[in-house]
Amino acid sequence: MPEPAIAELPMQKAAVADPLDTAESWLSSGRSVALATVVETWGSAPRPVGSHLVIDADGNFEGSVSGGCVEGAVITEALDVLESGKARMLEFGVADETAWRVGLSCGGRIRVYVERLD
């Protein structure tokens, strides 16, 4: 028996929110917001310098600093930054045991600055 034909559907692009617009919107609605920014890369890095991830106090997030490799660790650090108000510089790399644990095995290194927005 032949396979049924699959109807072709028009391609639709998903709307991708700019993390900075999201941060502004969340701040305007009274949410506490942290911003994580890739400030340095070396070697095979998953996202370029200037990539952003915004995180609110409930752990909601928008954007990406690593294509999913280290987002969980960055979100955890961002929640601490929101609570303490003290910015942090994070570094993940293939030589770093933490990087392997959280999934940055691409052979590169990234530095991510995490700050609370007011």
Side-chain angles (χ1 to χ4, degrees):
M1 184 180 240
E3 292 287 319
I6 298 174
E8 287 190 37
L9 299 174
M11 296 283 291
Q12 294 182 7
K13 290 185 179 182
V16 178
D18 180 330
L20 297 178
D21 290 341
T22 300
E24 185 176 7
S25 173
W26 288 356
L27 283 168
S28 295
S29 68
R31 292 157 85 170
S32 296
V33 178
L35 176 65
T37 305
V38 175
V39 295
E40 182 182 4
T41 65
W42 178 84
S44 177
R47 300 281 296 147
V49 169
S51 296
H52 295 107
L53 177 69
V54 295
I55 306 96
D56 75 3
D58 292 326
N60 297 302
F61 63 94
E62 184 78 44
S64 176
V65 292
S66 73
C69 299
V70 299
E71 263 72 9
V74 173
I75 291 166
T76 298
E77 294 289 336
L79 294 173
D80 289 342
V81 167
L82 285 172
E83 189 172 314
S84 71
K86 295 180 183 175
R88 295 187 185 167
M89 184 68 72
L90 311 175
E91 186 167 334
F92 301 95
V94 72
D96 182 355
E97 181 181 318
T98 302
W100 283 100
R101 231 181 14 249
V102 298
L104 186 66
S105 57
C106 59
R109 183 182 77 218
I110 62 172
R111 292 182 75 199
V112 179
Y113 183 70
V114 184
E115 61 189 314
R116 183 171 72 188
L117 301 178
D118 294 314

